[in-house]
């Protein structure tokens, strides 16, 4: 089983809000994240968003790198 580590370029709270703007079905519970527990976050989002862990990770990192509004 692969272990994932998120590379965030801005604070998680900002990324979380952008993710909720990008996908209004996501809740604070879905986006509960603690450093070192990336796999738990990605597993929840993988099921909720029907995407692979790798795609969820890429989305989070892309939104983190985006200075503007999530699109």
């Amino acid at each position: 089983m692969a272990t994932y580590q998120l590379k965030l370029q801005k604070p998680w709270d900002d990324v979380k809000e952008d993710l909720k703007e990008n996908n209004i079905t996501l809740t604070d519970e879905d986006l509960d994240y603690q450093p070192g527990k990336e796999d738990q976050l990605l597993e929840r989002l993988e099921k909720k968003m029907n995407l692979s862990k790798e795609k969820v990770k890429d989305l989070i990192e892309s939104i983190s790198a985006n200075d503007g509004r999530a699109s």
Side-chain angles (χ1 to χ4, degrees), residues 3 11 16-18 23 26-27 41 44-45 48 52 64 68:
T3 300
K16 180 171 79 170
E17 292 307 313
D18 288 345
N23 184 333
L26 295 176
T27 66
L41 170 69
R44 274 194 308 276
L45 295 179
K48 180 90 178 206
S52 70
S64 171

Side-chain angles (χ1 to χ4, degrees), residues 35-48:
K37 297 189 177 184
E38 286 84 354
D39 283 333
Q40 292 174 2
L41 170 69
L42 295 174
E43 285 172 12
R44 274 194 308 276
L45 295 179
E46 175 183 36
K47 291 175 187 166
K48 180 90 178 206

